[in-house]
PDB file of all heavy atoms in Angstrom:
ATOM      1  N   GLU X  28      11.584   5.594  11.204  1.00 97.00           N
ATOM      2  CA  GLU X  28      10.659   6.547  11.808  1.00 97.00           C
ATOM      3  C   GLU X  28      11.263   7.886  11.887  1.00 97.00           C
ATOM      4  O   GLU X  28      12.534   8.084  11.958  1.00 97.00           O
ATOM      5  CB  GLU X  28      10.163   6.133  13.154  1.00 97.00           C
ATOM      6  CG  GLU X  28      11.146   6.180  14.277  1.00 97.00           C
ATOM      7  CD  GLU X  28      10.601   5.903  15.663  1.00 97.00           C
ATOM      8  OE1 GLU X  28       9.854   6.747  16.145  1.00 97.00           O
ATOM      9  OE2 GLU X  28      10.920   4.791  16.154  1.00 97.00           O
ATOM     10  N   THR X  29      10.404   8.882  11.748  1.00 98.00           N
ATOM     11  CA  THR X  29      10.781  10.286  12.017  1.00 98.00           C
ATOM     12  C   THR X  29       9.730  10.865  12.849  1.00 98.00           C
ATOM     13  O   THR X  29       8.803  10.180  13.276  1.00 98.00           O
ATOM     14  CB  THR X  29      10.778  11.046  10.621  1.00 98.00           C
ATOM     15  OG1 THR X  29       9.444  11.291  10.094  1.00 98.00           O
ATOM     16  CG2 THR X  29      11.698  10.409   9.620  1.00 98.00           C
ATOM     17  N   ASP X  30       9.742  12.221  13.063  1.00 97.00           N
ATOM     18  CA  ASP X  30       8.626  12.838  13.932  1.00 97.00           C
ATOM     19  C   ASP X  30       7.397  13.012  13.048  1.00 97.00           C
ATOM     20  O   ASP X  30       6.399  13.409  13.577  1.00 97.00           O
ATOM     21  CB  ASP X  30       9.125  14.120  14.491  1.00 97.00           C
ATOM     22  CG  ASP X  30       9.645  15.132  13.461  1.00 97.00           C
ATOM     23  OD1 ASP X  30       9.912  14.729  12.306  1.00 97.00           O
ATOM     24  OD2 ASP X  30       9.653  16.358  13.832  1.00 97.00           O
ATOM     25  N   LYS X  31       7.444  12.665  11.734  1.00 98.00           N
ATOM     26  CA  LYS X  31       6.426  12.867  10.801  1.00 98.00           C
ATOM     27  C   LYS X  31       5.878  11.639  10.165  1.00 98.00           C
ATOM     28  O   LYS X  31       4.808  11.626   9.618  1.00 98.00           O
ATOM     29  CB  LYS X  31       6.759  13.811   9.604  1.00 98.00           C
ATOM     30  CG  LYS X  31       7.257  15.174  10.069  1.00 98.00           C
ATOM     31  CD  LYS X  31       6.036  15.948  10.602  1.00 98.00           C
ATOM     32  CE  LYS X  31       6.480  17.290  11.114  1.00 98.00           C
ATOM     33  NZ  LYS X  31       5.543  17.954  11.949  1.00 98.00           N
ATOM     34  N   ALA X  32       6.584  10.462  10.436  1.00 98.00           N
ATOM     35  CA  ALA X  32       6.082   9.235   9.753  1.00 98.00           C
ATOM     36  C   ALA X  32       6.726   7.948  10.429  1.00 98.00           C
ATOM     37  O   ALA X  32       7.823   8.168  10.994  1.00 98.00           O
ATOM     38  CB  ALA X  32       6.353   9.156   8.274  1.00 98.00           C
ATOM     39  N   VAL X  33       6.085   6.812  10.326  1.00 98.00           N
ATOM     40  CA  VAL X  33       6.669   5.696  10.882  1.00 98.00           C
ATOM     41  C   VAL X  33       6.250   4.480   9.911  1.00 98.00           C
ATOM     42  O   VAL X  33       5.192   4.458   9.353  1.00 98.00           O
ATOM     43  CB  VAL X  33       6.172   5.340  12.296  1.00 98.00           C
ATOM     44  CG1 VAL X  33       4.634   5.259  12.501  1.00 98.00           C
ATOM     45  CG2 VAL X  33       6.801   4.125  12.903  1.00 98.00           C
ATOM     46  N   ILE X  34       7.248   3.648   9.611  1.00 98.00           N
ATOM     47  CA  ILE X  34       7.031   2.434   8.846  1.00 98.00           C
ATOM     48  C   ILE X  34       6.842   1.335   9.671  1.00 98.00           C
ATOM     49  O   ILE X  34       7.522   1.016  10.694  1.00 98.00           O
ATOM     50  CB  ILE X  34       8.279   2.235   7.814  1.00 98.00           C
ATOM     51  CG1 ILE X  34       8.368   3.423   6.885  1.00 98.00           C
ATOM     52  CG2 ILE X  34       8.077   0.936   7.122  1.00 98.00           C
ATOM     53  CD1 ILE X  34       9.514   3.337   5.914  1.00 98.00           C
ATOM     54  N   LEU X  35       5.836   0.480   9.426  1.00 98.00           N
ATOM     55  CA  LEU X  35       5.414  -0.684  10.235  1.00 98.00           C
ATOM     56  C   LEU X  35       5.328  -1.932   9.338  1.00 98.00           C
ATOM     57  O   LEU X  35       4.855  -1.811   8.163  1.00 98.00           O
ATOM     58  CB  LEU X  35       4.034  -0.337  10.883  1.00 98.00           C
ATOM     59  CG  LEU X  35       3.966   0.837  11.666  1.00 98.00           C
ATOM     60  CD1 LEU X  35       2.477   1.351  11.799  1.00 98.00           C
ATOM     61  CD2 LEU X  35       4.633   0.640  12.988  1.00 98.00           C
ATOM     62  N   ASN X  36       5.729  -3.076   9.910  1.00 98.00           N
ATOM     63  CA  ASN X  36       5.636  -4.339   9.251  1.00 98.00           C
ATOM     64  C   ASN X  36       4.419  -5.013   9.878  1.00 98.00           C
ATOM     65  O   ASN X  36       4.563  -5.516  10.981  1.00 98.00           O
ATOM     66  CB  ASN X  36       6.921  -5.128   9.414  1.00 98.00           C
ATOM     67  CG  ASN X  36       6.789  -6.529   8.779  1.00 98.00           C
ATOM     68  OD1 ASN X  36       5.725  -7.074   8.549  1.00 98.00           O
ATOM     69  ND2 ASN X  36       8.009  -7.113   8.568  1.00 98.00           N
ATOM     70  N   LEU X  37       3.366  -5.171   9.040  1.00 97.00           N
ATOM     71  CA  LEU X  37       2.068  -5.796   9.518  1.00 97.00           C
ATOM     72  C   LEU X  37       2.099  -7.169   8.730  1.00 97.00           C
ATOM     73  O   LEU X  37       1.656  -7.196   7.512  1.00 97.00           O
ATOM     74  CB  LEU X  37       0.841  -5.037   9.279  1.00 97.00           C
ATOM     75  CG  LEU X  37      -0.475  -5.573   9.665  1.00 97.00           C
ATOM     76  CD1 LEU X  37      -0.606  -5.841  11.154  1.00 97.00           C
ATOM     77  CD2 LEU X  37      -1.661  -4.803   9.165  1.00 97.00           C
ATOM     78  N   TYR X  38       2.465  -8.279   9.363  1.00 96.00           N
ATOM     79  CA  TYR X  38       2.480  -9.515   8.702  1.00 96.00           C
ATOM     80  C   TYR X  38       3.172  -9.561   7.434  1.00 96.00           C
ATOM     81  O   TYR X  38       2.666 -10.194   6.489  1.00 96.00           O
ATOM     82  CB  TYR X  38       1.017 -10.136   8.681  1.00 96.00           C
ATOM     83  CG  TYR X  38       0.411 -10.289  10.091  1.00 96.00           C
ATOM     84  CD1 TYR X  38      -0.470  -9.378  10.594  1.00 96.00           C
ATOM     85  CD2 TYR X  38       0.841 -11.438  10.872  1.00 96.00           C
ATOM     86  CE1 TYR X  38      -0.902  -9.517  11.941  1.00 96.00           C
ATOM     87  CE2 TYR X  38       0.247 -11.566  12.127  1.00 96.00           C
ATOM     88  CZ  TYR X  38      -0.631 -10.660  12.747  1.00 96.00           C
ATOM     89  OH  TYR X  38      -1.016 -10.849  13.982  1.00 96.00           O
ATOM     90  N   GLY X  39       4.284  -8.834   7.310  1.00 95.00           N
ATOM     91  CA  GLY X  39       5.037  -8.900   6.045  1.00 95.00           C
ATOM     92  C   GLY X  39       4.620  -7.841   5.122  1.00 95.00           C
ATOM     93  O   GLY X  39       5.201  -7.868   3.962  1.00 95.00           O
ATOM     94  N   HIS X  40       3.760  -6.983   5.424  1.00 96.00           N
ATOM     95  CA  HIS X  40       3.289  -5.878   4.504  1.00 96.00           C
ATOM     96  C   HIS X  40       3.691  -4.541   5.153  1.00 96.00           C
ATOM     97  O   HIS X  40       3.720  -4.387   6.354  1.00 96.00           O
ATOM     98  CB  HIS X  40       1.809  -5.980   4.258  1.00 96.00           C
ATOM     99  CG  HIS X  40       1.468  -7.375   3.644  1.00 96.00           C
ATOM    100  ND1 HIS X  40       1.732  -7.545   2.291  1.00 96.00           N
ATOM    101  CD2 HIS X  40       0.990  -8.474   4.212  1.00 96.00           C
ATOM    102  CE1 HIS X  40       1.348  -8.965   2.148  1.00 96.00           C
ATOM    103  NE2 HIS X  40       0.893  -9.438   3.237  1.00 96.00           N
ATOM    104  N   GLN X  41       3.949  -3.568   4.200  1.00 98.00           N
ATOM    105  CA  GLN X  41       4.436  -2.275   4.672  1.00 98.00           C
ATOM    106  C   GLN X  41       3.242  -1.251   4.925  1.00 98.00           C
ATOM    107  O   GLN X  41       2.499  -0.917   3.903  1.00 98.00           O
ATOM    108  CB  GLN X  41       5.415  -1.771   3.638  1.00 98.00           C
ATOM    109  CG  GLN X  41       6.037  -0.485   3.973  1.00 98.00           C
ATOM    110  CD  GLN X  41       6.775   0.242   2.939  1.00 98.00           C
ATOM    111  OE1 GLN X  41       6.196   0.491   1.873  1.00 98.00           O
ATOM    112  NE2 GLN X  41       8.039   0.575   3.167  1.00 98.00           N
ATOM    113  N   LEU X  42       3.128  -0.862   6.141  1.00 98.00           N
ATOM    114  CA  LEU X  42       2.187   0.221   6.473  1.00 98.00           C
ATOM    115  C   LEU X  42       3.090   1.470   6.720  1.00 98.00           C
ATOM    116  O   LEU X  42       4.090   1.402   7.399  1.00 98.00           O
ATOM    117  CB  LEU X  42       1.448  -0.003   7.670  1.00 98.00           C
ATOM    118  CG  LEU X  42       0.578  -1.301   7.685  1.00 98.00           C
ATOM    119  CD1 LEU X  42      -0.141  -1.473   9.033  1.00 98.00           C
ATOM    120  CD2 LEU X  42      -0.431  -1.297   6.613  1.00 98.00           C
ATOM    121  N   VAL X  43       2.689   2.613   6.262  1.00 98.00           N
ATOM    122  CA  VAL X  43       3.378   3.871   6.547  1.00 98.00           C
ATOM    123  C   VAL X  43       2.308   4.830   7.020  1.00 98.00           C
ATOM    124  O   VAL X  43       1.435   5.159   6.409  1.00 98.00           O
ATOM    125  CB  VAL X  43       4.065   4.383   5.273  1.00 98.00           C
ATOM    126  CG1 VAL X  43       4.875   5.732   5.660  1.00 98.00           C
ATOM    127  CG2 VAL X  43       5.029   3.515   4.623  1.00 98.00           C
ATOM    128  N   ALA X  44       2.581   5.158   8.306  1.00 98.00           N
ATOM    129  CA  ALA X  44       1.679   6.163   9.068  1.00 98.00           C
ATOM    130  C   ALA X  44       2.280   7.525   8.960  1.00 98.00           C
ATOM    131  O   ALA X  44       3.424   7.718   9.401  1.00 98.00           O
ATOM    132  CB  ALA X  44       1.570   5.680  10.434  1.00 98.00           C
ATOM    133  N   HIS X  45       1.517   8.429   8.441  1.00 98.00           N
ATOM    134  CA  HIS X  45       1.897   9.773   8.174  1.00 98.00           C
ATOM    135  C   HIS X  45       1.223  10.813   8.984  1.00 98.00           C
ATOM    136  O   HIS X  45       0.023  10.711   9.132  1.00 98.00           O
ATOM    137  CB  HIS X  45       1.760  10.141   6.740  1.00 98.00           C
ATOM    138  CG  HIS X  45       2.599   9.553   5.729  1.00 98.00           C
ATOM    139  ND1 HIS X  45       3.908   9.820   5.539  1.00 98.00           N
ATOM    140  CD2 HIS X  45       2.447   8.434   4.984  1.00 98.00           C
ATOM    141  CE1 HIS X  45       4.394   9.092   4.617  1.00 98.00           C
ATOM    142  NE2 HIS X  45       3.541   8.130   4.205  1.00 98.00           N
ATOM    143  N   VAL X  46       2.053  11.559   9.832  1.00 98.00           N
ATOM    144  CA  VAL X  46       1.390  12.538  10.675  1.00 98.00           C
ATOM    145  C   VAL X  46       0.734  13.602   9.820  1.00 98.00           C
ATOM    146  O   VAL X  46       1.392  14.207   8.822  1.00 98.00           O
ATOM    147  CB  VAL X  46       2.416  13.137  11.671  1.00 98.00           C
ATOM    148  CG1 VAL X  46       1.878  14.318  12.402  1.00 98.00           C
ATOM    149  CG2 VAL X  46       2.907  12.111  12.567  1.00 98.00           C
ATOM    150  N   THR X  47      -0.411  14.075  10.143  1.00 96.00           N
ATOM    151  CA  THR X  47      -1.185  15.128   9.477  1.00 96.00           C
ATOM    152  C   THR X  47      -1.873  15.968  10.588  1.00 96.00           C
ATOM    153  O   THR X  47      -2.264  15.394  11.532  1.00 96.00           O
ATOM    154  CB  THR X  47      -2.122  14.620   8.474  1.00 96.00           C
ATOM    155  OG1 THR X  47      -2.691  15.807   7.867  1.00 96.00           O
ATOM    156  CG2 THR X  47      -3.272  13.780   8.982  1.00 96.00           C
ATOM    157  N   SER X  48      -1.929  17.251  10.264  1.00 92.00           N
ATOM    158  CA  SER X  48      -2.662  18.121  11.172  1.00 92.00           C
ATOM    159  C   SER X  48      -4.040  18.383  10.686  1.00 92.00           C
ATOM    160  O   SER X  48      -4.871  18.980  11.268  1.00 92.00           O
ATOM    161  CB  SER X  48      -1.861  19.440  11.491  1.00 92.00           C
ATOM    162  OG  SER X  48      -1.820  20.100  10.173  1.00 92.00           O
ATOM    163  N   GLU X  49      -4.343  17.867   9.488  1.00 91.00           N
ATOM    164  CA  GLU X  49      -5.675  17.984   8.859  1.00 91.00           C
ATOM    165  C   GLU X  49      -6.621  17.077   9.689  1.00 91.00           C
ATOM    166  O   GLU X  49      -6.392  16.049  10.019  1.00 91.00           O
ATOM    167  CB  GLU X  49      -5.654  17.455   7.394  1.00 91.00           C
ATOM    168  CG  GLU X  49      -4.690  18.118   6.478  1.00 91.00           C
ATOM    169  CD  GLU X  49      -5.255  19.499   5.964  1.00 91.00           C
ATOM    170  OE1 GLU X  49      -6.474  19.402   5.558  1.00 91.00           O
ATOM    171  OE2 GLU X  49      -4.461  20.347   5.684  1.00 91.00           O
ATOM    172  N   PRO X  50      -7.753  17.678   9.962  1.00 87.00           N
ATOM    173  CA  PRO X  50      -8.768  16.793  10.720  1.00 87.00           C
ATOM    174  C   PRO X  50      -9.268  15.760   9.783  1.00 87.00           C
ATOM    175  O   PRO X  50      -9.543  15.945   8.602  1.00 87.00           O
ATOM    176  CB  PRO X  50      -9.953  17.886  11.021  1.00 87.00           C
ATOM    177  CG  PRO X  50      -9.678  19.119  10.224  1.00 87.00           C
ATOM    178  CD  PRO X  50      -8.252  19.085   9.694  1.00 87.00           C
ATOM    179  N   GLN X  51      -9.270  14.541  10.334  1.00 86.00           N
ATOM    180  CA  GLN X  51      -9.808  13.402   9.609  1.00 86.00           C
ATOM    181  C   GLN X  51     -11.271  13.247   9.779  1.00 86.00           C
ATOM    182  O   GLN X  51     -11.823  13.442  10.873  1.00 86.00           O
ATOM    183  CB  GLN X  51      -9.080  12.193   9.961  1.00 86.00           C
ATOM    184  CG  GLN X  51      -7.622  12.193   9.722  1.00 86.00           C
ATOM    185  CD  GLN X  51      -7.284  12.469   8.268  1.00 86.00           C
ATOM    186  OE1 GLN X  51      -7.726  11.761   7.412  1.00 86.00           O
ATOM    187  NE2 GLN X  51      -6.520  13.522   8.035  1.00 86.00           N
ATOM    188  N   PRO X  52     -12.025  12.961   8.664  1.00 86.00           N
ATOM    189  CA  PRO X  52     -13.442  12.809   8.789  1.00 86.00           C
ATOM    190  C   PRO X  52     -13.731  11.512   9.747  1.00 86.00           C
ATOM    191  O   PRO X  52     -12.986  10.558   9.641  1.00 86.00           O
ATOM    192  CB  PRO X  52     -13.991  12.545   7.429  1.00 86.00           C
ATOM    193  CG  PRO X  52     -12.821  12.001   6.610  1.00 86.00           C
ATOM    194  CD  PRO X  52     -11.635  12.712   7.315  1.00 86.00           C
ATOM    195  N   VAL X  53     -14.719  11.635  10.659  1.00 88.00           N
ATOM    196  CA  VAL X  53     -15.097  10.564  11.382  1.00 88.00           C
ATOM    197  C   VAL X  53     -16.016   9.593  10.631  1.00 88.00           C
ATOM    198  O   VAL X  53     -17.052   9.962  10.002  1.00 88.00           O
ATOM    199  CB  VAL X  53     -15.901  11.022  12.738  1.00 88.00           C
ATOM    200  CG1 VAL X  53     -16.354   9.782  13.622  1.00 88.00           C
ATOM    201  CG2 VAL X  53     -14.992  11.967  13.588  1.00 88.00           C
ATOM    202  N   GLN X  54     -15.598   8.302  10.468  1.00 87.00           N
ATOM    203  CA  GLN X  54     -16.342   7.449   9.781  1.00 87.00           C
ATOM    204  C   GLN X  54     -17.346   6.708  10.597  1.00 87.00           C
ATOM    205  O   GLN X  54     -17.056   6.301  11.756  1.00 87.00           O
ATOM    206  CB  GLN X  54     -15.391   6.221   9.162  1.00 87.00           C
ATOM    207  CG  GLN X  54     -16.054   5.392   8.275  1.00 87.00           C
ATOM    208  CD  GLN X  54     -14.979   4.452   7.573  1.00 87.00           C
ATOM    209  OE1 GLN X  54     -14.097   4.926   6.844  1.00 87.00           O
ATOM    210  NE2 GLN X  54     -15.147   3.121   7.694  1.00 87.00           N
TER     211      GLN X  54
END
């Protein structure tokens, strides 16, 4: 992890969560 991203193991699969300041559309 850094202050801009974190790597996660979800049941043996790689998720990478990236920090963004861009507003995300609400689904």
Side-chain angles (χ1 to χ4, degrees):
E28 68 176 286
T29 69
D30 61 341
K31 298 292 181 200
V33 61
I34 296 176
L35 305 158
N36 176 341
L37 178 66
Y38 297 100
H40 301 284
Q41 185 190 56
L42 302 182
V43 184
H45 292 277
V46 174
T47 180
S48 58
E49 300 277 325
Q51 298 303 305
V53 175
Q54 183 168 308

